[in-house]
Amino acid sequence: MSGKKNVAILGSTGSIGTQTLDVIQAHPENFQVEVLTAQNNADLLIEQALKFQPNCVVIGNESLYQKVKDALFLKDIKVFAGDKAIADVVTMEGIDLVLTALVGYSGLIPTIKAIEAGKQIALANKETLVVAGEFVTQLAREKGVNIYPVDSEHSAIFQCLVGEFHNPIEKIILTASGGPFRGKDKAFLEHVTKAQALKHPNWDMGAKITIDSASLMNKGLEVIEAKWLFGVSIDQIEVIVHPQSIIHSLVQFEDGSIKAQLGLPDMRIPIQFALSYPQRLKVDFPRFDFANYPSLTFEKPDMETFQNLGLAFEALKRGGNAPCMLNAANEIVVAAFLQDKVGFLEMSDLIEKTLEKVTFIQKPSLLDYIETDNMSRIITEELIKKNI
């Protein structure tokens, strides 16, 4: 790599954000932290700022501004606060690449602002493409901006496509671990607790994405994201359950050949590839040993029991603002589940009802997406109140 990349990390205190900083710390000759942002974790943001000395930090929760400001007063680090500031700082001239690791819908506007400013994007916020995939990818093409996927599955597909961009894709195969409830029936799922749902067998992630993984909604969101990242149709996307999480995804070409990307479950690998592309930087992470995995298994997802995956396929097929409805409703029901307001299976029922109630728009504008997100949340909240 020629020179250092100046990186802005949106959501630096979360799981992806902290692992991104691990990667940057391991390669100080290649990367410089330019911006760090967090929503509520002021203590960790302060700690990160003191360690990595960014140009500026943003704390989303404005009530914590003074705390961060005071802690960094003697340092040459600018401090801002509020969601608008998060969207504004990505346009700073010194930034080369913006890694978006914000949770859910909150990643949409900052990512759009970064693309408008011509910044390269490392995307860990799949909801950006779920909510407004057509709008965002069109904008990226117009601005000449590359979107590098950070999700392990989409990074795997991207890696399989390196050197193959002139060859048409026949099929993308997204792998899913199956989550903590793989093989369980509806009778079991009716009584699962959030503590059970938060225990993912292979990955260490934040609460929201862990619940999404348990319900297979995470895989549904990844299906929608894959459609926009790789320009494929819904019929070219398949999901297969692979409990070992060693094969991170596969691509099948027109001659029947299949490429797969393998490795131990470690998010630092796809994060680093997104930051360093087209180079692969040497790391000392543990290596995969075939002898330790004598059997890699695969099975079809149970879409009858785990209805969220089917709802995501249906929303993608419907198009327009339907995936935006799906995402908003899901964010509300996951929060409700984590607050013990709804049961595990009820989440799918509530999402389905929201999809039926929100006004469908075939060709939405950005404002339409914003209004759809707001209305979907209101309707889902009302359905939850009636359900309690």
Side-chain angles (χ1 to χ4, degrees), residues 47 89 120 125 146 193:
E47 181 184 323
V89 293
Q120 303 305 304
N125 173 258
N146 292 318
T193 65

Side-chain angles (χ1 to χ4, degrees), residues 180-193:
F181 306 134
R182 181 177 64 88
K184 303 299 184 183
D185 58 19
K186 285 188 176 182
F188 177 89
L189 295 177
E190 282 180 1
H191 306 289
V192 300
T193 65

Side-chain angles (χ1 to χ4, degrees), residues 70-192:
D70 292 345
L72 302 179
F73 180 72
L74 297 177
K75 304 296 179 180
D76 187 23
I77 301 173
K78 303 178 188 71
V79 179
F80 304 103
D83 293 338
K84 185 178 183 302
I86 293 175
D88 288 342
V89 293
V90 298
T91 66
M92 288 171 47
E93 191 173 331
I95 296 170
D96 298 312
L97 181 142
V98 176
L99 187 139
T100 308
L102 299 171
V103 176
Y105 176 82
S106 64
L108 176 63
I109 299 303
T111 304
I112 288 174
K113 292 289 187 183
I115 293 171
E116 288 176 338
K119 310 302 182 184
Q120 303 305 304
I121 305 295
L123 190 65
N125 173 258
K126 63 177 66 66
E127 289 85 354
T128 290
L129 294 183
V130 171
V131 170
E134 186 171 11
F135 178 90
V136 171
T137 52
Q138 176 63 34
L139 181 65
R141 284 192 294 271
E142 292 173 359
K143 297 295 183 179
V145 166
N146 292 318
I147 301 177
Y148 302 110
V150 171
D151 273 348
S152 60
E153 295 84 357
H154 300 90
S155 176
I157 294 164
F158 180 55
Q159 292 180 58
C160 290
L161 290 174
V162 172
E164 300 276 7
F165 295 114
H166 59 290
N167 287 321
I169 297 168
E170 185 169 279
K171 183 167 61 174
I172 281 172
I173 305 168
L174 291 169
T175 56
S177 70
F181 306 134
R182 181 177 64 88
K184 303 299 184 183
D185 58 19
K186 285 188 176 182
F188 177 89
L189 295 177
E190 282 180 1
H191 306 289
V192 300

Side-chain angles (χ1 to χ4, degrees), residues 25 68 83 117-118 140 145 155 212 218 230 249 266 271 284 295 353 371 382 384:
Q25 184 178 9
V68 178
D83 293 338
V145 166
S155 176
D212 281 349
N218 188 53
F230 305 111
S249 277
D266 190 329
I271 290 169
D284 59 0
S295 178
K353 289 177 182 176
E371 291 178 348
E382 290 174 350
I384 290 170

Side-chain angles (χ1 to χ4, degrees), residues 337-386:
F337 174 72
L338 289 170
Q339 296 166 15
D340 298 315
K341 292 181 179 178
V342 302
F344 187 81
L345 289 179
E346 289 174 318
M347 291 192 290
S348 299
D349 297 335
L350 290 162
I351 293 168
E352 187 172 19
K353 289 177 182 176
T354 299
L355 287 168
E356 293 170 355
K357 288 179 175 291
V358 180
T359 301
F360 176 70
I361 303 171
Q362 185 65 60
K363 293 288 184 181
S365 64
L366 179 57
L367 181 59
D368 290 329
Y369 286 124
I370 293 170
E371 291 178 348
T372 296
D373 176 81
N374 184 53
M375 185 54 63
S376 300
R377 291 171 189 273
I378 291 171
I379 288 173
T380 309
E381 293 272 18
E382 290 174 350
L383 288 169
I384 290 170
K385 288 177 183 176
K386 291 178 182 178

Side-chain angles (χ1 to χ4, degrees), residues 12-13 18 21-22 25 36 38 41-54 57 67-68 71-72 75 77:
S12 66
T13 59
T18 55
L21 288 172
D22 288 343
Q25 184 178 9
L36 297 173
N41 196 341
D43 291 334
L44 183 53
L45 180 65
I46 292 165
E47 181 184 323
Q48 292 173 342
L50 293 172
K51 182 174 183 178
F52 289 93
Q53 297 291 305
V57 300
K67 178 178 182 177
V68 178
L72 302 179
K75 304 296 179 180
I77 301 173

